[in-house]
Amino acid sequence: MSDPLQILTQYWGFSAFRNLQRDIIDAVLDQKDTVALLPTGGGKSLCYQLPAMCLDGLCLVISPLIALMKDQVDQLTKRGIKAYAIYTGLTHREVDIILDNCIYGQVKLLYVSPERLQTETFVERVRKMNINLLAVDEAHCISQWGYDFRPSYLQIAAFRNENLPDANTIALTATATVKVVDDITAKLELKNALTFKSSFARENLALAVRKVEDKDRKLVEILTNVPGTCCVYVRTRRRTRELTTLLLQNKISADYYHAGLSHDLRMKKQDLWQKGETRVIVATNAFGMGIDKNNVRSVIHYDLPDSLEAYYQEAGRAGRDGNKAYAVALYH
Protein backbone atom coordinates (compact mmCIF):
# COMPACT_ATOMS: atom_id res chain seq x y z
CA MET A 1 0.00 0.00 0.00
CA SER A 2 1.32 3.45 -0.96
CA ASP A 3 2.03 6.11 1.68
CA PRO A 4 -0.90 8.61 1.86
CA LEU A 5 1.32 11.66 2.47
CA GLN A 6 3.53 10.77 -0.49
CA ILE A 7 0.45 10.39 -2.72
CA LEU A 8 -0.92 13.73 -1.42
CA THR A 9 2.30 15.52 -2.35
CA GLN A 10 2.79 13.73 -5.67
CA TYR A 11 -0.70 14.22 -7.10
CA TRP A 12 -2.23 17.14 -5.17
CA GLY A 13 0.89 19.14 -4.40
CA PHE A 14 0.09 19.57 -0.68
CA SER A 15 2.61 18.88 2.09
CA ALA A 16 0.03 18.29 4.85
CA PHE A 17 -3.56 17.14 5.32
CA ARG A 18 -6.37 19.42 6.46
CA ASN A 19 -8.24 18.94 9.72
CA LEU A 20 -9.57 15.36 10.07
CA GLN A 21 -8.62 14.32 6.53
CA ARG A 22 -5.80 12.02 7.68
CA ASP A 23 -7.99 10.38 10.35
CA ILE A 24 -10.73 9.70 7.80
CA ILE A 25 -8.26 8.37 5.21
CA ASP A 26 -6.63 6.07 7.79
CA ALA A 27 -10.06 4.68 8.75
CA VAL A 28 -10.87 4.00 5.10
CA LEU A 29 -7.49 2.33 4.51
CA ASP A 30 -8.13 0.18 7.61
CA GLN A 31 -11.27 -1.02 5.76
CA LYS A 32 -13.66 0.56 8.25
CA ASP A 33 -17.08 1.82 7.13
CA THR A 34 -16.88 5.58 7.58
CA VAL A 35 -19.15 8.63 7.69
CA ALA A 36 -17.39 11.94 7.02
CA LEU A 37 -19.08 15.27 7.74
CA LEU A 38 -16.88 18.07 6.48
CA PRO A 39 -17.89 21.64 5.63
CA THR A 40 -18.43 22.73 2.04
CA GLY A 41 -14.95 23.39 0.69
CA GLY A 42 -13.41 21.26 3.46
CA GLY A 43 -11.77 18.72 1.17
CA LYS A 44 -14.28 15.85 1.31
CA SER A 45 -13.47 14.35 -2.08
CA LEU A 46 -9.83 13.79 -1.11
CA CYS A 47 -11.06 11.42 1.63
CA TYR A 48 -11.95 8.80 -0.98
CA GLN A 49 -9.81 9.88 -3.95
CA LEU A 50 -6.56 9.50 -2.07
CA PRO A 51 -7.33 6.04 -0.59
CA ALA A 52 -8.26 4.96 -4.13
CA MET A 53 -4.71 5.87 -5.18
CA CYS A 54 -3.20 3.96 -2.25
CA LEU A 55 -5.04 0.70 -2.95
CA ASP A 56 -5.10 -1.76 -5.83
CA GLY A 57 -8.18 -1.59 -8.00
CA LEU A 58 -10.69 1.21 -8.32
CA CYS A 59 -13.11 3.23 -6.21
CA LEU A 60 -16.76 3.33 -7.28
CA VAL A 61 -18.26 6.74 -6.49
CA ILE A 62 -22.02 7.31 -6.26
CA SER A 63 -22.74 10.94 -7.11
CA PRO A 64 -26.10 12.66 -7.65
CA LEU A 65 -25.30 15.21 -10.36
CA ILE A 66 -23.72 15.09 -13.80
CA ALA A 67 -22.06 18.49 -13.27
CA LEU A 68 -20.46 17.23 -10.07
CA MET A 69 -19.17 14.06 -11.73
CA LYS A 70 -17.76 15.90 -14.74
CA ASP A 71 -16.00 18.45 -12.56
CA GLN A 72 -14.41 15.77 -10.36
CA VAL A 73 -13.23 13.75 -13.37
CA ASP A 74 -11.77 16.88 -15.01
CA GLN A 75 -9.86 17.75 -11.80
CA LEU A 76 -8.51 14.20 -11.45
CA THR A 77 -7.51 13.95 -15.10
CA LYS A 78 -5.53 17.21 -14.78
CA ARG A 79 -3.61 15.58 -11.92
CA GLY A 80 -2.75 12.55 -14.03
CA ILE A 81 -5.25 10.26 -12.28
CA LYS A 82 -7.32 7.97 -14.52
CA ALA A 83 -11.01 8.55 -13.79
CA TYR A 84 -14.28 8.27 -15.70
CA ALA A 85 -17.93 9.18 -15.23
CA ILE A 86 -20.95 7.45 -16.74
CA TYR A 87 -24.00 9.67 -17.15
CA THR A 88 -27.07 10.26 -19.32
CA GLY A 89 -26.09 11.56 -22.74
CA LEU A 90 -23.20 9.18 -23.38
CA THR A 91 -23.71 6.72 -26.26
CA HIS A 92 -23.97 2.98 -25.62
CA ARG A 93 -20.54 2.61 -27.25
CA GLU A 94 -18.96 5.25 -24.99
CA VAL A 95 -20.37 3.56 -21.87
CA ASP A 96 -19.11 0.18 -23.14
CA ILE A 97 -15.56 1.50 -23.60
CA ILE A 98 -15.53 3.08 -20.11
CA LEU A 99 -16.71 -0.16 -18.49
CA ASP A 100 -14.08 -2.17 -20.38
CA ASN A 101 -11.39 0.26 -19.25
CA CYS A 102 -12.55 -0.18 -15.65
CA ILE A 103 -12.20 -3.96 -15.94
CA TYR A 104 -8.94 -4.15 -17.90
CA GLY A 105 -7.29 -0.71 -17.58
CA GLN A 106 -5.62 1.10 -14.70
CA VAL A 107 -8.69 3.21 -13.82
CA LYS A 108 -8.72 4.50 -10.23
CA LEU A 109 -12.17 6.12 -9.91
CA LEU A 110 -15.51 5.55 -11.64
CA TYR A 111 -18.36 8.02 -11.00
CA VAL A 112 -21.98 6.94 -11.54
CA SER A 113 -25.43 8.09 -10.48
CA PRO A 114 -27.38 5.95 -7.99
CA GLU A 115 -29.88 5.13 -10.77
CA ARG A 116 -27.09 3.45 -12.76
CA LEU A 117 -26.80 0.74 -10.09
CA GLN A 118 -30.19 -0.61 -11.19
CA THR A 119 -29.17 -1.34 -14.78
CA GLU A 120 -28.43 -4.97 -15.65
CA THR A 121 -25.50 -4.24 -17.97
CA PHE A 122 -23.74 -2.15 -15.36
CA VAL A 123 -24.21 -4.74 -12.60
CA GLU A 124 -22.84 -7.51 -14.84
CA ARG A 125 -19.69 -5.52 -15.61
CA VAL A 126 -19.18 -4.34 -12.02
CA ARG A 127 -18.81 -7.96 -10.92
CA LYS A 128 -15.73 -8.22 -13.15
CA MET A 129 -14.08 -5.09 -11.68
CA ASN A 130 -11.61 -5.01 -8.82
CA ILE A 131 -13.46 -2.47 -6.65
CA ASN A 132 -11.59 -1.54 -3.47
CA LEU A 133 -13.94 1.11 -2.06
CA LEU A 134 -17.51 2.38 -2.40
CA ALA A 135 -17.85 6.16 -1.88
CA VAL A 136 -21.32 7.66 -1.45
CA ASP A 137 -21.09 11.41 -2.06
CA GLU A 138 -23.77 13.87 -0.90
CA ALA A 139 -24.94 11.08 1.41
CA HIS A 140 -27.69 13.22 3.00
CA CYS A 141 -29.66 12.41 -0.19
CA ILE A 142 -30.41 8.98 1.33
CA SER A 143 -32.41 10.46 4.20
CA GLN A 144 -35.99 11.67 4.05
CA TRP A 145 -34.97 14.01 6.88
CA GLY A 146 -32.27 15.54 4.65
CA TYR A 147 -33.05 18.56 2.50
CA ASP A 148 -32.44 16.84 -0.84
CA PHE A 149 -33.91 13.33 -0.61
CA ARG A 150 -33.24 11.06 -3.62
CA PRO A 151 -35.13 7.71 -3.52
CA SER A 152 -32.59 5.86 -5.70
CA TYR A 153 -30.03 6.23 -2.89
CA LEU A 154 -32.08 3.68 -0.92
CA GLN A 155 -30.95 0.94 -3.34
CA ILE A 156 -27.21 1.39 -2.67
CA ALA A 157 -26.97 -1.01 0.29
CA ALA A 158 -28.65 -3.88 -1.58
CA PHE A 159 -26.37 -3.28 -4.59
CA ARG A 160 -23.25 -3.32 -2.41
CA ASN A 161 -24.28 -6.37 -0.39
CA GLU A 162 -24.93 -8.36 -3.54
CA ASN A 163 -22.07 -7.20 -5.76
CA LEU A 164 -19.32 -5.73 -3.55
CA PRO A 165 -19.36 -7.81 -0.34
CA ASP A 166 -15.66 -7.14 0.35
CA ALA A 167 -15.61 -3.38 -0.28
CA ASN A 168 -15.95 -0.98 2.65
CA THR A 169 -18.02 2.18 2.31
CA ILE A 170 -17.38 5.86 2.96
CA ALA A 171 -20.38 8.20 3.09
CA LEU A 172 -19.70 11.92 2.74
CA THR A 173 -21.79 15.04 3.20
CA ALA A 174 -21.26 18.71 3.96
CA THR A 175 -24.24 19.01 6.24
CA ALA A 176 -26.30 16.59 8.29
CA THR A 177 -28.24 16.67 11.53
CA VAL A 178 -27.86 13.84 14.06
CA LYS A 179 -31.10 12.37 12.69
CA VAL A 180 -29.74 12.38 9.14
CA VAL A 181 -26.41 10.83 10.19
CA ASP A 182 -28.29 8.01 11.93
CA ASP A 183 -30.39 7.56 8.79
CA ILE A 184 -27.30 7.45 6.55
CA THR A 185 -25.73 4.76 8.75
CA ALA A 186 -28.93 2.68 8.88
CA LYS A 187 -29.97 2.95 5.23
CA LEU A 188 -26.49 2.22 3.89
CA GLU A 189 -26.28 -0.68 6.39
CA LEU A 190 -22.84 0.45 7.53
CA LYS A 191 -21.14 -1.91 9.97
CA ASN A 192 -19.57 -0.42 13.12
CA ALA A 193 -19.18 2.83 11.22
CA LEU A 194 -16.72 5.46 12.40
CA THR A 195 -18.15 8.99 12.19
CA PHE A 196 -15.93 12.04 11.77
CA LYS A 197 -17.38 15.53 12.08
CA SER A 198 -15.41 18.72 11.54
CA SER A 199 -16.39 22.16 12.78
CA PHE A 200 -18.58 23.90 10.25
CA ALA A 201 -17.19 27.33 11.09
CA ARG A 202 -14.98 28.83 8.38
CA GLU A 203 -12.86 31.78 9.45
CA ASN A 204 -12.70 33.31 5.97
CA LEU A 205 -16.48 33.33 5.46
CA ALA A 206 -18.40 36.25 6.96
CA LEU A 207 -22.10 35.51 7.51
CA ALA A 208 -24.47 38.47 7.61
CA VAL A 209 -28.22 38.98 7.81
CA ARG A 210 -29.62 42.29 6.59
CA LYS A 211 -33.13 43.57 7.33
CA VAL A 212 -33.90 45.93 4.46
CA GLU A 213 -36.82 47.91 3.08
CA ASP A 214 -35.72 47.50 -0.54
CA LYS A 215 -34.06 44.18 -1.38
CA ASP A 216 -33.39 45.15 -5.00
CA ARG A 217 -31.46 48.26 -4.04
CA LYS A 218 -29.49 46.39 -1.38
CA LEU A 219 -28.60 43.62 -3.84
CA VAL A 220 -27.18 46.10 -6.34
CA GLU A 221 -25.35 47.91 -3.53
CA ILE A 222 -23.66 44.70 -2.28
CA LEU A 223 -22.62 43.66 -5.79
CA THR A 224 -21.23 47.14 -6.44
CA ASN A 225 -19.15 47.06 -3.24
CA VAL A 226 -18.04 43.41 -3.20
CA PRO A 227 -16.17 42.57 -6.40
CA GLY A 228 -15.83 39.10 -7.85
CA THR A 229 -18.05 36.15 -8.70
CA CYS A 230 -21.39 35.82 -6.94
CA CYS A 231 -24.37 33.49 -6.68
CA VAL A 232 -27.78 34.95 -5.80
CA TYR A 233 -30.39 32.48 -4.53
CA VAL A 234 -34.12 33.03 -5.00
CA ARG A 235 -37.22 30.85 -4.54
CA THR A 236 -38.95 31.15 -7.93
CA ARG A 237 -38.00 30.78 -11.57
CA ARG A 238 -39.70 34.06 -12.44
CA ARG A 239 -37.57 35.93 -9.93
CA THR A 240 -34.35 34.54 -11.46
CA ARG A 241 -35.27 36.33 -14.69
CA GLU A 242 -36.49 39.52 -13.00
CA LEU A 243 -33.34 39.98 -10.91
CA THR A 244 -31.08 39.18 -13.87
CA THR A 245 -32.79 41.97 -15.82
CA LEU A 246 -32.34 44.32 -12.83
CA LEU A 247 -28.62 43.55 -12.58
CA LEU A 248 -28.03 43.92 -16.32
CA GLN A 249 -29.78 47.33 -16.19
CA ASN A 250 -27.26 48.28 -13.50
CA LYS A 251 -24.39 47.16 -15.75
CA ILE A 252 -23.63 44.07 -13.64
CA SER A 253 -22.82 40.94 -15.68
CA ALA A 254 -25.50 38.36 -14.81
CA ASP A 255 -27.46 35.35 -16.01
CA TYR A 256 -30.26 33.18 -14.61
CA TYR A 257 -30.54 29.44 -13.91
CA HIS A 258 -33.39 27.14 -12.90
CA ALA A 259 -34.62 23.57 -13.42
CA GLY A 260 -37.07 24.58 -16.15
CA LEU A 261 -34.27 25.25 -18.64
CA SER A 262 -33.01 22.55 -21.01
CA HIS A 263 -30.04 20.48 -19.85
CA ASP A 264 -27.77 21.94 -22.56
CA LEU A 265 -28.72 25.51 -21.69
CA ARG A 266 -28.14 24.91 -17.96
CA MET A 267 -24.70 23.45 -18.72
CA LYS A 268 -23.84 26.42 -20.95
CA LYS A 269 -24.88 28.98 -18.32
CA GLN A 270 -23.01 27.13 -15.57
CA ASP A 271 -19.90 26.84 -17.73
CA LEU A 272 -19.81 30.58 -18.51
CA TRP A 273 -20.20 31.37 -14.79
CA GLN A 274 -17.49 28.90 -13.77
CA LYS A 275 -15.10 30.36 -16.35
CA GLY A 276 -15.79 33.86 -15.01
CA GLU A 277 -17.39 35.11 -18.24
CA THR A 278 -20.63 35.65 -16.32
CA ARG A 279 -20.07 37.35 -12.97
CA VAL A 280 -23.39 36.74 -11.20
CA ILE A 281 -25.67 33.72 -11.50
CA VAL A 282 -29.22 34.26 -10.19
CA ALA A 283 -30.62 30.83 -9.41
CA THR A 284 -33.09 28.63 -7.63
CA ASN A 285 -31.77 25.78 -5.51
CA ALA A 286 -31.51 23.74 -8.74
CA PHE A 287 -28.09 25.39 -9.00
CA GLY A 288 -26.05 23.92 -6.27
CA MET A 289 -24.85 20.57 -5.20
CA GLY A 290 -21.33 19.88 -6.37
CA ILE A 291 -20.65 23.36 -7.75
CA ASP A 292 -16.91 23.48 -7.24
CA LYS A 293 -15.76 27.02 -8.06
CA ASN A 294 -13.19 28.11 -5.53
CA ASN A 295 -13.14 31.88 -6.09
CA VAL A 296 -16.79 32.78 -5.37
CA ARG A 297 -16.56 35.98 -3.33
CA SER A 298 -20.20 36.26 -2.28
CA VAL A 299 -23.40 34.25 -1.97
CA ILE A 300 -26.52 36.36 -1.50
CA HIS A 301 -29.84 34.90 -0.39
CA TYR A 302 -32.52 37.20 -1.78
CA ASP A 303 -34.99 34.59 -0.48
CA LEU A 304 -34.26 32.14 2.33
CA PRO A 305 -34.25 28.37 1.68
CA ASP A 306 -36.39 25.80 3.53
CA SER A 307 -33.88 24.78 6.19
CA LEU A 308 -30.74 25.83 8.02
CA GLU A 309 -28.89 22.86 6.47
CA ALA A 310 -29.82 24.01 2.97
CA TYR A 311 -28.74 27.57 3.84
CA TYR A 312 -25.38 26.37 5.11
CA GLN A 313 -24.79 24.26 2.01
CA GLU A 314 -25.57 27.17 -0.32
CA ALA A 315 -23.74 29.86 1.68
CA GLY A 316 -20.71 27.57 1.90
CA ARG A 317 -20.12 27.87 -1.83
CA ALA A 318 -18.40 31.18 -1.15
CA GLY A 319 -14.69 31.41 -0.38
CA ARG A 320 -13.55 27.85 -1.05
CA ASP A 321 -10.10 29.21 -1.92
CA GLY A 322 -9.63 30.29 1.71
CA ASN A 323 -9.75 34.01 0.90
CA LYS A 324 -12.25 36.43 2.42
CA ALA A 325 -15.82 35.89 1.22
CA TYR A 326 -19.31 36.97 2.23
CA ALA A 327 -22.64 35.20 2.67
CA VAL A 328 -25.50 37.68 3.00
CA ALA A 329 -29.14 36.89 3.71
CA LEU A 330 -31.66 39.63 2.93
CA TYR A 331 -35.06 39.77 4.58
CA HIS A 332 -37.94 42.17 4.79
Side-chain angles (χ1 to χ4, degrees), residues 151-328:
S152 52
Y153 266 68
L154 297 171
Q155 309 304 319
I156 295 172
F159 167 84
R160 185 203 55 214
N161 294 341
E162 192 171 332
N163 303 293
L164 310 172
D166 299 325
N168 57 308
T169 301
I170 177 170
L172 309 103
T173 179
T175 171
T177 61
V178 172
K179 207 173 194 178
V180 172
V181 173
D182 289 344
D183 226 13
I184 289 169
T185 306
K187 297 220 166 77
L188 285 176
E189 297 178 24
L190 302 181
K191 300 174 185 72
N192 303 314
L194 297 176
T195 300
F196 297 89
K197 183 172 183 177
S198 173
S199 166
F200 282 67
R202 286 182 31 217
E203 289 180 9
N204 67 307
L205 183 58
L207 300 169
V209 181
R210 293 283 179 263
K211 184 178 181 181
V212 293
E213 289 302 314
D214 185 340
K215 283 188 184 181
D216 288 1
R217 192 172 73 187
K218 191 65 178 177
L219 178 66
V220 171
E221 181 190 315
I222 293 168
L223 288 169
T224 303
N225 290 324
V226 179
T229 304
C230 174
C231 182
V232 177
Y233 280 105
V234 296
R235 292 292 290 258
T236 66
R237 295 175 182 183
R238 190 177 86 176
R239 193 164 273 165
T240 64
R241 297 190 296 272
E242 290 172 351
L243 288 188
T244 297
T245 301
L246 170 76
L247 295 178
L248 292 171
Q249 286 170 348
N250 282 274
K251 298 184 170 46
I252 295 169
S253 165
D255 200 355
Y256 64 92
Y257 183 109
H258 57 71
L261 302 169
S262 71
H263 171 74
D264 287 348
L265 188 54
R266 290 203 311 272
M267 289 298 102
K268 184 180 178 184
K269 287 172 181 275
Q270 181 179 318
D271 193 47
L272 289 170
W273 180 77
Q274 292 202 252
K275 286 176 178 172
E277 292 178 37
T278 301
R279 181 188 163 201
V280 180
I281 196 93
V282 184
T284 62
N285 64 2
F287 186 79
M289 212 190 310
I291 298 299
D292 192 14
K293 181 172 170 63
N294 69 1
N295 63 344
V296 178
R297 296 275 64 86
S298 58
V299 170
I300 301 169
H301 278 83
Y302 189 97
D303 301 316
L304 289 175
D306 289 324
S307 70
L308 196 57
E309 287 76 40
Y311 175 76
Y312 180 81
Q313 183 93 344
E314 290 164 4
R317 297 195 172 108
R320 289 187 177 198
D321 55 6
N323 295 326
K324 190 69 178 171
Y326 301 87
V328 185

Side-chain angles (χ1 to χ4, degrees), residues 137-149:
D137 206 3
E138 308 292 351
H140 59 269
C141 290
I142 203 169
S143 174
Q144 284 171 301
W145 305 107
Y147 65 88
D148 217 345
F149 178 59

